Amino acid sequence: MWNYLGRRLLTSLSILIGVSVLTFLMIHVMPGDPVKVIVGRLTTSPERIEALREELGFNDPIPLQYLNYLGRFVRGDMGTSIRNNRPVFDQIMEQLPNTLQLALITVTISTIFGILIGIFSAATKYSLVDRVLSFISLSVISIPPFFIALLLILLFSVHLKWIPAVAKTGDPRGLILPAVSLALGEIFWLARIVRNAVIEETNKLYPNLAKSKGLSRPGILMKHILPNVLIPTVTAISIQLVYILAGSVVIESIFARQGIGGLAVLGIKNQDFPLIQGTVTVLAAIYVVVNTITDIFYAVVDPRVRLG
Amino acid sequence: MNEIKRIYRDKPNPRPNRARQLITNFNFVVGLTLLSVTIFIAVLAPLLATDDVNKADPRASFMPPSANHWMGTDKLGRDIWSRFVFGGRVSLVIGLSAMVIGMCAGTVMGIFAGFYGGWIDSAISWITEVLMAFPGILLALTIMAILGPGVNNVILAVGIGTIPQFMRMARSAVLKTREMDFIDAARTIGCSDARILFRHILPNIIQSVIVLATLGIGSAILEGSSLSYLGLGAQPLTPEWGSMINAGRTFLQNAWWVSVFPGLGVFLAILSINMLGEGLSQVFDPVNQ
Amino acid sequence: MKNKSALVLVIFAFLAAFGSVSAQADNGTLTVGLSVEPFTLDPAGGVYIPEHFVIQHIYDPLIFSGPDGELYPGLASEWSANEDGTEFTFKLRGDVKFHDGTAFNAEAVKIALDRAQKGVTPSSAAPALLTAYVETEVVDDATVIVKFSETNATFLQDLSRAWLMIPSPAAIADLDGGKLAFIGTGPFIFDSWAQQDSITLKKNPDYNVAPAFMAHSGPAYLDEIVFRILPETATRLIALQTGEAQIVQDPSPVDAAGMVDDPNVQIFTFAAPGVPAHQMINTEKFPTDDLNVRIAMNHAVDQEAIMTAASLGLTQPAFSIISPSTWAYNPDADNMYPYDLEKAKAVLEEAGWIDSDGDGIREKDGRKLTIEYPALPAYEEQFMELLAYSLQDAGFEVNLTTMDDAGISAVGAAGDHNILNMGWISRDPSVLSYIFLSSNIEGGSAYTRFRDARLDEILTEAPKTVDPEERKALYEEAQTIIMENALVIPIHTYGNLYVADAAVEGFMFDAEGYPLLYDVTFAK
């Protein structure tokens, strides 16, 4: 077990290093002079450009620049935004809770409804209800989340005027539309996974044995099927959490919500490299951490995994 | 974002007796029909369009759908139906080209990783792991931040994002194939590595790769239109569904048709591919037996 | 199934109940919907337009510039300049306190200007205003002398800009560390900033710096201003309609035009002075190196029609390099090339540009009449397509490519554009130097790449000319040179557009079109 744990953590660390190399190289592989990119269209003297180049460390050899960058990053210093002079770390820490709040609510909604619908579908498998549900799921997961968001705003904010498209800070109603926009697709995606997993388990031999032992149908579901459905479901939810974090990039922009996704888009629009590097690295790091935890969870639940 | 690759569970094992099941499968048939219609519209766009996509007539701005303008007009008075059919073309080209890039690069990487093993395998696997650490649209966004906006860059950005899935599939397929007898045989008769790779291994996995690519077009279209929606994709004079939705969102309140029709386009294109995939897996996946 | 629909009904009823809770503002709080979030509220760190509006409610300038364009005392009660315009002496008010309780004095001015000259980030706008700055000499607690190495004829005007407003010296260390320490002397005190969400200011009860052009003096009427960051145009307007905001910036012109007759809202527009939004034509790149091509482009563009379509008449078209409300505007240079498509075609034919292969694009000597047009949607979205279509109608091929700021500046610096958008809000035409002085071709913003000895001479001499009549004559000549050479295609004056609830009273624009909320109250 410890052996596996060690290997798994080492892999995660190496991926994190890869992520940092990629984000670091970003400004260097861009066409054009990085300092001019930063300055944009402002009228600047050549001397000032040169001074900035020195100040921002662009005169050092690239490997040294990377080590400096990494060293600062590890200490939690992600640099300061070149547009507003604020430490990137502070900005991310301010915005991350909002994104996590949105992501957790979305995952909660999608987990509850996803599992319920999935089990319901599996229980009624191949019936008309199941078919209709599966058609609805396919349709819903085919709608781009940003389009769902627009339609929800059109319906609930513009026409019905029930929910403000933008709510005051701290108004819980502000969470409803973004969470629903993100959750809809995820509910049906999860429902499909759960449905298939439950059917797969049901098809296996032992429930028949259980039935022959005289257990009731709900009994079979609770005792034998659900535990085995746990692994695919947890995988699905962990994948979802990360996709929702990434999906928040678009959704937060639409709803003008605070969050790390909106911050990343802002960074890209303003060519604010420290900000892009910080937000992208943090999102990628969350992904790696969630993945690592999920893998370790498997290893605990299913010892066979450790061998792989 | 990549619903397809997530839904799709197992690579199909085509067996001849499945053809009948396929043509009676609701999802497969509807999906195939929708996809054919989409492709038909995109290919025949010049014939279907009723107007020049760039003919502006500000006096006729925001006309609701009517006999003259089937999908209404946008802010500049351009005919949305005509832009819709040409826009589908651009969106499909983005989806297809991105998948082709991802498929070629990913498959080649996967074959090399699987065939040579050792440090090559570790290096390639590490690169794809790093790429996968940027979930969903984030990788494409990061690449767009470097390359700047434009259709070609969207294709590249989305394409790079699809590399890992092909690489992984090709790698595991090669690992299975590598140990087979006929590879050993080829080796003993003195075939070069290149010959073994491309004459013996590639044909064995090409089918699964193409299926994966087809099913991935939906998510590629979605990702491409998301980038255009954020204003990073197609150029203003080029109609594209994502940027059409984007251009119309300001006027949602007064002129819903500007955004909603291209939105339906994206929806139907993705739905068709999702249904096709569902149909295939219903027929081939053992879970549904 | 029955249960399910009942549940849905309950949810909807719940939402409806929530939704009907009136979002009316209480009397003292004004919520303003901003379209762009400020980068910072640190005057010396400000980047461009979005900040000005917020900064000027927290800080005061040494000198105010009234809506009439005149100068009014601010933190400085009197001022004078030496003869060659290189030294400026200011008498400072002794009865003003910063929001942190420390006294405003000469040292604060010196620290502020020294800092502004360096700028806080590479993108700060302040250093461009203080290029020949030498130092600020503190004579005594209430007197400073600001010294320049060459004549600065616009310094007094520039002092009223947000970038040169005076922050509390006690807050400088925090500002440099990126903290949200925005402490000034202004009518409102910075309270909080939730990034991507809102900025809250509270009334300064001790305010006593209000300039004479305001309707009242003493503290502001409003207790609180909340600037909500609402980048989506559609949601911004919805916020106004639902009462979440009482004033919103930049509604979509279509929506605003539809509201003109609505008794519940009022619309405020402002035509800004300065260099209007225009396309700078590259005079070194084929085919716009040909004067005839540049003239034809000007004749082909119908600014009136484009702006009517783009903004439904809420933004004024422009026909010269300086807008009429700017000081030293020259009416003779205005509308030299009225819209005339046939004339545009004739000019091209005469110059040898013929469409010989019938593809709708003219050629000359085997080369196509192709225009490279890199555009920045943030500023050009309204008109870029219509502009491209206008040129196409005259037989041009237009390659319209949208880019971000950095992409545009890279193309512009390399001279790979044929036309490129530019504009500069300013009361004084001195900004023409930035965009037409040939020494700004490399590394600057002179994207016409036009080299003319006389124009250079004017643009170098005018900022150093203290006599107003002489200066005016120089700038009038500059406008004529620019338009006679058809260096630009004027598009529109910068118009600021605000929609406000009908209850908002006392709304006014400053000289550059940024709202002043100091006099604002709500009608009972």
Side-chain angles (χ1 to χ4, degrees):
Chain A
M1 183 65 203
W2 293 112
N3 196 352
Y4 170 80
L5 204 65
R7 257 189 305 145
R8 188 64 193 81
L9 290 178
L10 213 61
T11 315
S12 302
L13 192 67
S14 79
I15 294 170
L16 283 176
I17 289 177
V19 168
S20 73
V21 171
L22 210 65
T23 48
F24 165 76
L25 282 180
M26 196 153 71
I27 191 163
H28 293 279
V29 294
M30 280 195 59
D33 179 345
V35 180
K36 290 214 170 122
V37 168
I38 287 170
V39 172
R41 278 169 106 177
L42 287 172
T43 308
T44 324
S45 66
E47 296 83 48
R48 187 158 158 74
I49 297 257
E50 211 30 66
L52 283 172
R53 194 187 309 284
E54 187 61 44
E55 201 182 305
L56 297 168
F58 285 123
N59 283 335
D60 296 337
I62 286 186
L64 180 64
Q65 284 185 43
Y66 172 71
L67 288 180
N68 287 337
Y69 169 81
L70 191 64
R72 277 184 278 119
F73 225 97
V74 169
R75 290 196 302 270
D77 173 6
M78 301 181 178
T80 50
S81 154
I82 53 176
R83 302 295 174 205
N84 68 13
N85 195 37
R86 295 198 55 210
V88 170
F89 184 77
D90 292 3
Q91 297 186 57
I92 291 177
M93 283 304 132
E94 260 171 44
Q95 307 277 314
L96 196 56
N98 283 290
T99 304
L100 291 180
Q101 186 191 30
L102 177 62
L104 287 180
I105 289 180
T106 308
V107 167
T108 312
I109 297 176
S110 76
T111 305
I112 294 173
F113 287 96
I115 291 179
L116 285 180
I117 296 176
I119 292 177
F120 184 69
S121 271
T124 58
K125 65 176 171 175
Y126 310 134
S127 72
L128 185 66
V129 181
D130 178 38
R131 276 161 201 269
V132 169
L133 269 178
S134 99
F135 181 71
I136 292 176
S137 337
L138 265 183
S139 306
V140 172
I141 60 177
S142 301
I143 313 176
F146 65 85
F147 193 57
I148 295 186
L150 282 185
L151 294 179
L152 289 178
I153 292 179
L154 188 61
L155 182 62
F156 289 104
S157 300
V158 177
H159 285 296
L160 299 174
K161 299 195 195 311
W162 285 349
I163 310 172
V166 282
K168 288 204 179 77
T169 327
D171 183 340
R173 287 179 300 159
L175 264 171
I176 299 174
L177 292 186
V180 172
S181 311
L182 278 170
L184 264 181
E186 302 300 329
I187 289 174
F188 288 101
W189 179 69
L190 185 64
R192 292 163 58 83
I193 305 272
V194 172
R195 171 188 178 273
N196 289 352
V198 171
I199 292 177
E200 195 168 356
E201 287 304 320
T202 322
N203 285 352
K204 285 191 183 158
L205 202 58
Y206 63 87
N208 293 334
L209 289 175
K211 211 180 238 171
S212 67
K213 282 197 293 186
L215 276 169
S216 64
R217 273 188 65 176
I220 300 170
L221 197 70
M222 297 307 290
K223 267 216 161 115
H224 295 278
I225 296 177
L226 284 189
N228 286 302
V229 172
L230 194 62
I231 287 195
T233 308
V234 170
T235 319
I237 294 171
S238 76
I239 293 175
Q240 266 187 321
L241 184 66
V242 175
Y243 271 85
I244 288 168
L245 279 175
S248 69
V249 171
V250 181
I251 294 297
E252 284 172 353
S253 295
I254 295 180
F255 287 99
R257 261 188 68 80
Q258 279 193 297
I260 190 170
L263 203 61
V265 173
L266 211 63
I268 289 172
K269 284 192 174 150
N270 295 331
Q271 298 272 309
D272 192 338
F273 283 93
L275 193 57
I276 304 176
Q277 287 169 334
T279 46
V280 167
T281 310
V282 167
L283 281 172
I286 292 175
Y287 175 83
V288 173
V289 169
V290 170
N291 253 3
T292 311
I293 294 173
T294 316
D295 280 358
I296 293 173
F297 167 79
Y298 293 156
V300 173
V301 177
D302 185 355
R304 282 170 302 176
V305 174
R306 286 174 223 163
L307 304 172
Chain B
M1 291 290 144
N2 295 318
E3 276 84 3
I4 301 299
K5 85 171 176 234
R6 295 195 266 144
I7 300 156
Y8 191 63
R9 297 175 52 84
D10 241 341
K11 83 183 167 91
N13 256 322
R15 278 175 225 156
N17 62 339
R18 298 284 156 77
R20 247 192 88 82
Q21 276 176 280
L22 267 185
I23 55 166
T24 54
N25 181 287
F26 171 77
N27 284 316
F28 183 81
V29 172
V30 174
L32 193 65
T33 314
L34 277 176
L35 186 63
S36 314
V37 170
T38 314
I39 293 174
F40 177 80
I41 286 176
V43 171
L44 296 183
L47 298 176
L48 295 171
T50 51
D51 216 335
D52 180 351
V53 289
N54 277 322
K55 200 191 83 189
D57 180 5
R59 283 160 308 168
S61 64
F62 296 123
M63 308 270 272
S66 66
N68 279 337
H69 301 285
W70 299 341
M71 292 184 174
T73 61
D74 67 3
K75 182 186 171 190
L76 303 179
R78 296 177 296 199
D79 181 53
I80 292 178
W81 163 249
S82 308
R83 292 182 74 76
F84 175 84
V85 294
F86 274 97
R89 199 178 236 204
V90 177
S91 294
L92 282 187
V93 164
I94 291 177
L96 278 173
S97 319
M99 282 326 279
V100 169
I101 290 177
M103 179 174 82
C104 294
T107 310
V108 168
M109 284 166 72
I111 290 177
F112 274 93
F115 186 75
Y116 289 106
W119 70 268
I120 297 183
D121 184 18
S122 309
I124 294 180
S125 298
W126 180 74
I127 292 173
T128 49
E129 289 274 341
V130 171
L131 286 183
M132 285 177 75
F134 296 87
I137 199 171
L138 199 62
L139 180 65
L141 268 178
T142 313
I143 297 173
M144 294 304 287
I146 297 171
L147 299 176
V151 170
N152 292 342
N153 294 344
V154 168
I155 291 174
L156 201 61
V158 177
I160 292 176
T162 62
I163 286 179
Q165 41 174 322
F166 289 103
M167 181 274 174
R168 292 192 146 191
M169 161 178 261
R171 179 176 171 275
S172 64
V174 170
L175 284 180
K176 277 184 206 152
T177 321
R178 195 171 63 167
E179 307 309 330
M180 286 182 177
D181 289 345
F182 70 95
I183 300 292
D184 280 342
R187 233 187 258 280
T188 41
I189 60 168
C191 284
S192 68
D193 280 359
R195 201 180 154 80
I196 295 175
L197 279 176
F198 292 101
R199 289 299 298 273
H200 298 290
I201 290 183
L202 192 61
N204 266 296
I205 61 170
I206 197 79
Q207 206 176 8
S208 346
V209 167
I210 288 178
V211 171
L212 185 65
T214 311
L215 298 182
I217 292 173
S219 51
I221 292 177
L222 172 61
E223 212 163 283
S225 61
S226 302
L227 289 174
S228 290
Y229 177 78
L230 290 174
L232 297 170
Q235 294 308 306
L237 298 185
T238 315
E240 195 272 344
W241 285 340
S243 49
M244 287 170 77
I245 300 173
N246 181 25
R249 75 188 201 282
T250 312
F251 314 109
L252 213 51
Q253 200 171 352
N254 301 321
W256 55 268
W257 52 89
V258 183
S259 277
V260 168
F261 286 117
L264 279 177
V266 179
F267 166 62
L268 288 178
I270 298 172
L271 179 65
S272 69
I273 290 161
N274 280 354
M275 291 185 78
L276 203 64
E278 176 81 353
L280 284 173
S281 78
Q282 277 172 350
V283 173
F284 291 107
D285 197 322
V287 172
N288 296 300
Q289 298 310 302
Chain C
M1 250 13 237
K2 234 177 193 161
N3 282 341
K4 222 175 200 174
S5 54
L7 177 70
V8 168
L9 272 181
V10 169
I11 291 175
F12 280 3
F14 173 75
L15 292 176
F18 242 127
S20 65
V21 172
S22 164
Q24 270 293 315
D26 50 292
N27 261 347
T29 299
L30 176 76
T31 304
V32 181
L34 292 184
S35 57
V36 181
E37 179 164 30
F39 286 120
T40 176
L41 300 179
D42 178 352
V47 181
Y48 60 115
I49 299 163
E51 288 108 358
H52 202 129
F53 181 14
V54 184
I55 285 180
Q56 71 178 359
H57 287 92
I58 304 175
Y59 306 89
D60 285 312
L62 289 180
I63 300 175
F64 282 101
S65 170
D68 51 4
E70 297 298 315
L71 300 178
Y72 291 82
L75 291 171
S77 49
E78 292 168 38
W79 56 88
S80 60
N82 67 351
E83 206 146 280
D84 50 356
T86 54
E87 287 190 19
F88 300 85
T89 308
F90 299 91
K91 283 276 168 218
L92 305 176
R93 290 189 41 174
D95 57 344
V96 180
K97 281 196 165 22
F98 287 106
H99 302 152
D100 59 6
T102 58
F104 164 77
N105 57 24
E107 194 57 33
V109 175
K110 178 176 171 55
I111 291 172
L113 293 182
D114 284 355
R115 194 164 170 269
Q117 194 255 334
K118 291 196 198 76
V120 177
T121 66
S123 39
S124 302
L129 297 178
L130 296 171
T131 40
Y133 176 82
V134 177
E135 61 157 350
T136 298
E137 185 192 323
V138 176
V139 178
D140 58 49
D141 229 24
T143 317
V144 290
I145 304 175
V146 182
K147 297 175 181 170
F148 291 88
S149 61
E150 50 187 71
T151 303
N152 190 336
T154 56
F155 181 56
L156 294 176
Q157 285 279 356
D158 287 340
L159 270 181
S160 67
R161 288 171 173 262
W163 325 139
L164 300 185
M165 290 183 178
I166 313 295
S168 165
I172 299 291
D174 281 347
L175 284 178
D176 286 339
K179 294 211 176 71
L180 302 175
F182 306 120
I183 300 171
T185 55
F188 292 90
I189 300 174
F190 173 79
D191 181 68
S192 62
W193 184 350
Q195 215 179 350
Q196 296 188 70
D197 184 83
S198 62
I199 297 169
T200 306
L201 310 184
K202 297 253 196 270
K203 172 156 70 183
N204 174 6
D206 304 320
Y207 188 62
N208 58 355
V209 194
F213 58 80
M214 288 298 195
H216 79 293
S217 60
Y221 294 131
L222 293 168
D223 293 327
E224 188 181 58
I225 307 176
V226 178
F227 292 96
R228 279 285 274 134
I229 319 297
L230 303 172
E232 285 287 319
T233 310
T235 49
R236 210 155 52 237
L237 208 67
I238 292 167
L240 181 80
Q241 290 164 339
T242 56
E244 302 282 332
Q246 290 80 46
I247 298 179
V248 298
Q249 204 173 33
D250 303 330
S252 94
V254 179
D255 294 329
M259 294 170 121
V260 167
D261 299 324
D262 186 340
N264 297 317
V265 298
Q266 35 186 344
I267 296 175
F268 300 104
T269 57
F270 182 88
V275 176
H278 65 277
Q279 297 295 322
M280 303 199 87
I281 310 180
N282 187 345
T283 56
E284 284 184 350
K285 184 179 159 68
F286 180 88
T288 45
D289 51 350
D290 180 347
L291 175 62
N292 289 310
V293 169
R294 301 201 296 270
I295 289 176
M297 289 167 89
N298 266 281
H299 279 303
V301 174
D302 184 355
Q303 286 92 337
E304 195 88 51
I306 289 180
M307 290 326 290
T308 307
S311 75
L312 298 165
L314 291 167
T315 304
Q316 293 305 313
F319 304 97
S320 181
I321 189 59
I322 288 288
S323 69
S325 57
T326 320
W327 184 79
Y329 159 76
N330 179 359
D332 294 337
D334 203 312
N335 212 2
M336 255 182 215
Y337 312 102
Y339 168 66
D340 186 343
L341 185 58
E342 291 317 309
K343 183 149 187 204
K345 289 177 179 168
V347 170
L348 287 170
E349 303 268 334
E350 222 164 279
W353 293 97
I354 315 284
D355 177 18
S356 46
D357 54 8
D359 61 352
I361 302 162
R362 295 172 189 274
E363 301 92 32
K364 183 178 177 181
D365 307 329
R367 296 176 78 182
K368 288 192 169 204
L369 189 55
T370 304
I371 299 294
E372 291 299 331
Y373 176 18
L376 187 67
Y379 301 129
E380 298 170 71
E381 194 157 27
Q382 284 194 349
F383 63 79
M384 60 189 179
E385 287 151 293
L386 292 169
L387 175 63
Y389 294 146
S390 302
L391 295 175
Q392 282 172 353
D393 287 344
F396 287 85
E397 178 182 48
V398 182
N399 286 337
L400 168 55
T401 321
T402 53
M403 298 183 178
D404 53 28
D405 220 8
I408 297 262
S409 46
V411 171
D416 290 336
H417 59 287
N418 282 110
I419 54 176
L420 193 144
N421 186 65
M422 181 52 76
W424 214 302
I425 297 175
S426 165
R427 275 148 288 158
D428 192 279
S430 60
V431 292
L432 288 175
S433 315
Y434 297 131
I435 50 180
F436 289 105
L437 203 55
S438 65
S439 59
N440 279 332
I441 290 178
E442 305 304 332
S445 307
Y447 296 125
T448 60
R449 305 181 81 84
F450 183 67
R451 298 165 207 268
D452 179 86
R454 178 60 191 152
L455 186 60
D456 280 349
E457 193 186 344
I458 294 173
L459 295 178
T460 319
E461 285 313 308
K464 300 179 191 164
T465 306
V466 179
D467 179 60
E469 282 313 305
E470 249 177 83
R471 259 188 99 217
K472 192 169 178 189
L474 287 172
Y475 279 127
E476 283 174 354
E477 189 185 344
Q479 292 166 56
T480 308
I481 296 175
I482 291 165
M483 292 316 295
E484 272 179 351
N485 286 287
L487 301 183
V488 298
I489 310 172
I491 307 286
H492 66 79
T493 57
Y494 286 104
N496 293 349
L497 187 53
Y498 288 81
V499 183
D501 193 289
V504 171
E505 285 177 357
F507 180 94
M508 79 187 275
F509 286 110
D510 73 1
E512 291 189 344
Y514 302 107
L516 291 165
L517 303 175
Y518 170 74
D519 278 337
V520 167
T521 53
F522 290 110
K524 293 282 175 279

